[in-house]
Amino acid sequence: MTLPGMLRLKGWITGERDGLMLGTTLYDRTLVWLAFGLATVGFIMVTSASMPVGQRLTDDPFYFAKRDALYIVLAFILAIIVLRIPMLVWEKYNYIMLIGSLAMLAVVLVAGNSVNGASRWIDIGIVKIQPAELSKLSLFCFVSSYLVRKSEEVRTRFLGFIKPMGILIVMAFLLLLQPDLGTVVVLVVTTLALLFLAGARLAPFIIGIAICVAGVVGLIYFEPYRVRRVTSFLNPWEDPFGSGYQLTQSLMAFGRGEVFGQGLGNSVQKLEYLPEAHTDFIFSVLAEELGYIGVVLVLLMVFLVAFRAMMIGRRALQANQKFSGYLACAIGIWFTFQALVNVGAAAGMLPTKGLTLPLISYGGSSLLIMTIAIAILLRIDFETRLERAQAFVRSAK
C-alpha cells in the first residue's frame, strides 16, 4: 500500500485495514459552511441596516453594502493565502506580529482618525485599519507560542504566569489610551483562559483575576461616561433619551421582532432611531426583522463555530501540536466571548461595549481578522488530519 494510492486529489484519504474502508476529509467542511453562512447573514443584515444612514451620509443607500462586499472579497483572498501558510511559520514569527501590533497601536494614538471621541483607525486610503483587531490575533499567537516554550515554568512558577501578563498590560495600556476598554476585556479574558488551559497554578491565576477585575472596576469608576454606561443598562428606562437611549431603542427592536420578525427590510428602529444599527447593534435589527427564530439560528451558528474551534484545538493538543492547539482554543474563546458581549449588550444583559458581532457586523478590520482566524483554524485542522492520516498509513504498511 503506497502513499500516492492513499491520498486522492479531491482531499480524501482512503485506506484499507482489517477489511474496513476509511474516508476522512482534509478540512472541516462544517466550519467552512458555518463561516460562509455567518458572512452571508452579515452581508444581508448590513445591507438592510445601513440603507438609511448610507442615504443620509452619501446619498447612496447601498454605500455600506458595497464596502462590505469589498471587504468580503478581500477576506476571501486573504483566507486563501493564509490556508497555504504552515502553522510553523506562525509559531516562528509570532513576535514580529506582536511588535508590529504594538507599533500600530502607538501610531494610531498620534496619527489615527477619531470617531465618536475614540482614536482607533489608521486611514491608508482604500480602507481604514483598526490595529486593535490585529492586536487580538497577535497576542494570542504570542501567548500560544509562550505556553509551548515555557509550559513547565507556567505550571510551577509564578514568574511563568507573570511574563505573558506583562505583555498584556503594555498592550492594554495602549488600547486604553484610545480608549478601547472592550478590546482590553476580550484580551484579558482570553489570555487568562489560555493560561488556565495550560495548567497555570491556581494561586497566581486567582491573583491575576482579582487584579484584572480591580483594574476594570477602577477604569470604570474614574471615567464618568463608563459609570453611566454601567449604571444605565441596569435601568435604561430611567433616562430613555439620555444615557439609556441606545439600549431602550435596542430593546424596542427585540420586542417588535416577536417570534417570526417583521420581515427582512421592515425594521423601524434602523431608520436612525437606533444608533450604530449596522455595527455594534446589528443584532437588534436582526432580531426585529427575523424574530426569535432568526436569533436562535444565528446564535446556534455562532456557538457551533466556537465548538468546532475548541474541538480542533483539542485534537491538535492530542496530536502533540501544542502551538496549534492553544491557538485554536484561543480563537474559540475569543469568538465566543466577543459574540457574548455584543449580544448581551444589545439585549440589555451587559453594559454597552464597542465590540462587533464576529463575521456579521459591518467593519473591515474585524471581518478581515476574523476571516484570517477561521482560515488558521482550517489550516490547523488540515495539518492535524494529515498527520493522523500519515500515521495510519505508516501503521498499515
Side-chain angles (χ1 to χ4, degrees), residues 11-266:
W12 287 83
I13 301 172
T14 306
E16 296 184 10
R17 187 175 187 180
D18 299 328
L20 298 176
M21 296 295 292
L22 301 177
T24 307
T25 53
L26 283 178
Y27 62 95
D28 192 328
R29 288 191 292 186
T30 302
L31 180 60
V32 172
W33 286 115
L34 286 170
F36 272 127
L38 286 174
T40 302
V41 170
F43 177 71
I44 293 170
M45 293 314 304
V46 165
T47 302
S48 176
S50 66
M51 291 177 71
V53 67
Q55 180 67 42
R56 177 174 61 84
L57 295 177
T58 66
D59 290 326
D60 181 3
F62 297 104
Y63 172 77
F64 291 102
K66 292 173 183 176
R67 289 185 64 84
D68 197 50
L70 172 62
Y71 288 130
I72 290 174
V73 172
L74 290 176
F76 183 74
I77 295 171
L78 270 176
I80 293 174
I81 296 171
V82 171
L83 283 171
R84 301 181 66 86
I85 302 175
M87 293 310 300
L88 185 62
V89 174
W90 293 95
E91 183 176 5
K92 186 176 181 181
Y93 298 106
N94 66 87
Y95 68 93
I96 296 178
M97 271 182 64
L98 182 67
I99 293 172
S101 297
L102 291 172
M104 291 176 69
L105 287 174
V107 168
V108 78
L109 297 174
V110 180
N113 286 4
S114 181
V115 178
N116 296 330
S119 181
R120 299 178 185 174
W121 292 267
I122 299 175
D123 192 346
I124 60 173
I126 300 177
V127 295
K128 291 182 178 180
I129 298 175
Q130 189 174 1
E133 295 295 333
L134 179 61
S135 69
K136 298 172 187 174
L137 183 59
S138 302
L139 181 64
F140 302 151
C141 283
F142 169 77
V143 174
S144 299
S145 174
Y146 175 82
L147 292 176
V148 174
R149 293 180 285 108
K150 304 288 185 179
S151 58
E152 188 62 29
E153 187 175 347
V154 169
R155 293 189 183 96
T156 59
R157 298 180 60 189
F158 185 73
L159 186 62
F161 181 90
I162 291 298
K163 287 179 181 178
M165 296 302 292
I167 300 295
L168 174 62
I169 290 170
V170 172
M171 189 171 282
F173 176 74
L174 293 173
L175 286 165
L176 289 171
L177 291 177
Q178 295 183 8
D180 189 356
L181 180 59
T183 298
V184 172
V185 173
V186 171
L187 294 178
V188 169
V189 169
T190 307
T191 301
L192 288 175
L194 263 185
L195 290 168
F196 179 77
L197 287 175
R201 290 194 310 166
L202 193 59
F205 189 78
I206 293 174
I207 293 172
I209 291 177
I211 292 173
C212 291
V213 170
V216 170
V217 171
L219 290 169
I220 293 172
Y221 181 78
F222 290 108
E223 286 288 352
Y225 81 94
R226 288 177 184 151
V227 174
R228 286 195 298 272
R229 276 189 178 184
V230 171
T231 55
S232 65
F233 98 96
L234 297 173
N235 185 14
W237 304 102
E238 185 178 352
D239 187 12
F241 299 104
S243 60
Y245 179 76
Q246 281 183 312
L247 184 52
T248 54
Q249 297 301 315
S250 177
L251 292 175
M252 288 180 192
F254 274 88
R256 292 189 76 252
E258 298 182 342
V259 178
F260 298 103
Q262 297 296 315
L264 189 62
N266 292 329

Side-chain angles (χ1 to χ4, degrees), residues 330-379:
I331 292 172
I333 296 165
W334 165 26
F335 196 94
T336 306
F337 185 74
Q338 186 159 320
L340 173 67
V341 172
N342 180 278
V343 173
M349 295 183 290
L350 294 171
T352 303
K353 275 279 135 274
L355 290 174
T356 58
L357 184 58
L359 298 178
I360 294 180
S361 295
Y362 175 80
S365 296
S366 175
L367 179 60
L368 294 176
I369 295 300
M370 279 296 179
T371 303
I372 290 173
I374 295 294
I376 289 174
L377 286 176
L378 291 172
R379 179 70 197 192

